[in-house]
Amino acid sequence: MKTILVVNTGSSSVKFTLFLAADLHVMAYGLMERIGQEGTRLVYQCPGRETFQKQVSIPDIGNAIARIPLLLTDSRMGVIVSKEEVRAIGHRVVHGGESISQPTRIDDRIKQIIQACFDLAPLHNPPNLEGILACETGFPDIPQVAVFDTAFHAKIPLQASLYALPVHLCESLKIRKYGFHGTSHGYVSRKAAEWIGRPVTDLRLITCHLGNGCSITAVAQGQSVDTSMGFTPLEGVPMGTRCGDIDPAILLYLMRQRGMTAERLDALLNRESGLLGLGGTGSSDVRDLVQAMQNGHHQAETALKVFTYRIKKYIGAYLAALGGADAIVFTAGIGENSPLIREWICDGLTELGISLDHRLNHSVNGCMGEIQNSESRMRLLIVPTNEEAEIAIQTRDLITV
């Protein structure tokens, strides 16, 4: 049996999915979260079987990766006889810098590029590389492929990708908009086109990937032409713990007033801001903020209003950039599952041809479908993302399995 393994390694989690190479049928799925912390949890699931869940001790990413072949070949829970049936491994890698514009087989040069981008994606690239190195040990001699979040945005036009800094700095330091969540934006763009029944090359779409990390992308003819994240994943709308767009002079002000170092600012902007910092509940989860708001927590309500207002502004900007749109697509954890957030984003946009059907917004929640009413000139879609499937497709296309 020939299979493809997809691995998504985070700072404290490892997600993996095993696909049958022939038709990309999901054979098994696993998640290890809170790695290296108290309460580490292992979840392992095979379609048609009971989900296995257990509290385990997993000290690091390498130990987590080492458990994957043991689970997949287990005599009771496994789905393959030996790990040699895994013919290729696809990895999600967040930042590939300027030199990477497509899925790439991993070698020493690619690993060096991933490492060189540590400062540009400090929450993601280091664990991404750690997962790759662990897979080299756990699955020796099996080809590995890096699928980069930045690749889908590689052809953004210059007027959208350049920052107004001295050109010699931009050129020497490779400073430009790279964009992220490209695997998701590309996947849901094609799925939206299939649903609408037109080629993606004939459509103008605004895709809203709203999860713990958030980005909005303008897609024309199947290509990203602008996106809210930038040189790093910090730019754009507020996120779970990231601040999104702010006046850069605020950083200078904090340095002068509070003596903050670059390292302290990095932690503040990436890990302590966004919905976590603004909401005042100690949580970055929109579900917790909605519950707090319903219980009368005014700061939680303010955070959600800031969040949805900024998304609305990006949608308006991208309608201008595209000269109109055929559809707006909501995806990822919040985009797929929060009727309130979708409602607040679309509220007040009827003059732009955007009109939400409140009944559909609740009934279609969490699954593929349309949520606009009959007066809307623009289609509003919920499209569940599947980055793992997209990575498997791109890995299979690159490696002869």
Side-chain angles (χ1 to χ4, degrees), residues 206 216 237 245 306-320 344-345 349 352:
I206 298 173
I216 320 299
V237 301
D245 297 334
V306 169
F307 178 60
T308 53
Y309 175 72
R310 299 282 183 84
I311 295 168
K312 184 181 300 189
K313 284 178 63 177
Y314 265 100
I315 289 173
Y318 289 163
L319 284 172
W344 283 13
I345 290 170
L349 298 181
L352 297 179

Side-chain angles (χ1 to χ4, degrees), residues 173-220:
L173 297 175
K174 309 300 182 186
I175 298 173
R176 50 157 287 177
K177 174 171 285 193
Y178 289 102
F180 301 89
H181 296 138
T183 306
S184 176
H185 289 294
Y187 178 85
V188 300
S189 295
R190 291 198 309 277
K191 288 298 179 182
E194 290 174 10
W195 177 273
I196 292 170
R198 291 168 57 187
V200 70
T201 52
D202 288 348
L203 295 173
R204 296 169 298 173
L205 304 170
I206 298 173
T207 53
C208 304
H209 179 105
L210 308 178
N212 188 53
C214 301
S215 60
I216 320 299
T217 295
V219 181

Side-chain angles (χ1 to χ4, degrees), residues 27-91:
M27 301 178 67
Y29 162 84
L31 167 66
M32 288 164 271
E33 59 183 355
R34 296 180 59 84
I35 293 170
Q37 305 172 33
E38 291 292 329
T40 306
R41 185 171 71 113
L42 165 64
V43 179
Y44 178 74
Q45 182 177 354
C46 301
R49 301 187 197 174
E50 185 177 351
T51 300
F52 174 78
Q53 298 189 53
K54 185 179 181 181
Q55 297 289 325
V56 292
S57 175
I58 303 179
D60 53 41
I61 297 297
N63 187 275
I65 296 290
R67 288 174 178 260
I68 296 176
L70 299 178
L71 289 165
L72 295 177
T73 60
D74 183 83
S75 60
R76 184 168 56 90
M77 298 185 297
V79 292
I80 55 177
V81 176
S82 72
K83 63 183 180 181
E84 282 69 32
E85 293 181 39
V86 177
R87 300 302 177 89
I89 302 174
H91 293 267

Side-chain angles (χ1 to χ4, degrees), residues 28-29 74 76-77 128 202 207 210 232 236 287 295 326 330 346 365 389 392:
Y29 162 84
D74 183 83
R76 184 168 56 90
M77 298 185 297
N128 292 162
D202 288 348
T207 53
L210 308 178
T232 75
R287 293 167 294 186
N295 292 334
D326 298 290
F330 295 99
C346 295
N365 190 50

Side-chain angles (χ1 to χ4, degrees), residues 78-340:
V79 292
I80 55 177
V81 176
S82 72
K83 63 183 180 181
E84 282 69 32
E85 293 181 39
V86 177
R87 300 302 177 89
I89 302 174
H91 293 267
R92 180 207 178 194
V93 182
V94 167
H95 211 310
E98 195 174 48
S99 57
I100 303 292
S101 60
Q102 58 190 0
T104 308
R105 185 161 178 167
I106 296 170
D107 55 19
D108 288 342
R109 182 183 73 88
I110 297 302
K111 287 184 284 188
Q112 290 171 2
I113 290 171
I114 295 170
Q115 186 169 12
C117 294
F118 276 12
D119 287 344
L120 306 183
L123 301 184
H124 297 92
N125 268 42
N128 292 162
L129 181 58
E130 191 174 356
I132 290 168
L133 297 175
C135 282
E136 288 180 343
T137 300
F139 296 88
D141 303 320
I142 294 176
Q144 300 192 69
V145 172
V147 178
F148 292 89
D149 277 11
T150 48
F152 182 65
H153 307 293
K155 296 181 181 179
I156 287 176
L158 283 176
Q159 65 266 26
S161 65
L162 291 181
Y163 293 99
L165 294 170
V167 67
H168 68 90
L169 289 177
C170 294
E171 291 179 348
S172 63
L173 297 175
K174 309 300 182 186
I175 298 173
R176 50 157 287 177
K177 174 171 285 193
Y178 289 102
F180 301 89
H181 296 138
T183 306
S184 176
H185 289 294
Y187 178 85
V188 300
S189 295
R190 291 198 309 277
K191 288 298 179 182
E194 290 174 10
W195 177 273
I196 292 170
R198 291 168 57 187
V200 70
T201 52
D202 288 348
L203 295 173
R204 296 169 298 173
L205 304 170
I206 298 173
T207 53
C208 304
H209 179 105
L210 308 178
N212 188 53
C214 301
S215 60
I216 320 299
T217 295
V219 181
Q221 300 178 334
Q223 297 287 332
S224 171
V225 296
D226 204 351
T227 190
S228 59
M229 284 180 167
F231 180 60
T232 75
L234 189 59
E235 186 180 359
V237 301
M239 304 169 223
T241 63
R242 298 188 190 110
C243 63
D245 297 334
I246 62 170
D247 181 345
I250 293 173
L251 308 185
L252 304 177
Y253 183 76
L254 290 172
M255 292 170 67
R256 295 181 182 124
Q257 294 296 317
R258 296 295 178 87
M260 289 190 178
T261 62
E263 290 74 19
R264 180 70 193 95
L265 286 171
D266 181 274
L268 174 71
L269 302 179
N270 276 295
R271 298 177 176 86
E272 301 169 17
S273 298
L275 294 173
L276 174 67
L278 193 58
T281 66
S283 174
S284 63
D285 194 309
V286 161
R287 293 167 294 186
D288 294 337
L289 291 167
V290 170
Q291 184 63 55
M293 179 190 71
Q294 293 170 344
N295 292 334
H297 196 298
H298 297 300
Q299 191 59 38
E301 180 178 6
T302 297
L304 293 172
K305 286 183 175 179
V306 169
F307 178 60
T308 53
Y309 175 72
R310 299 282 183 84
I311 295 168
K312 184 181 300 189
K313 284 178 63 177
Y314 265 100
I315 289 173
Y318 289 163
L319 284 172
L322 291 168
D326 298 290
I328 296 173
V329 177
F330 295 99
T331 193
I334 300 169
E336 296 168 26
N337 298 295
S338 180
L340 177 69

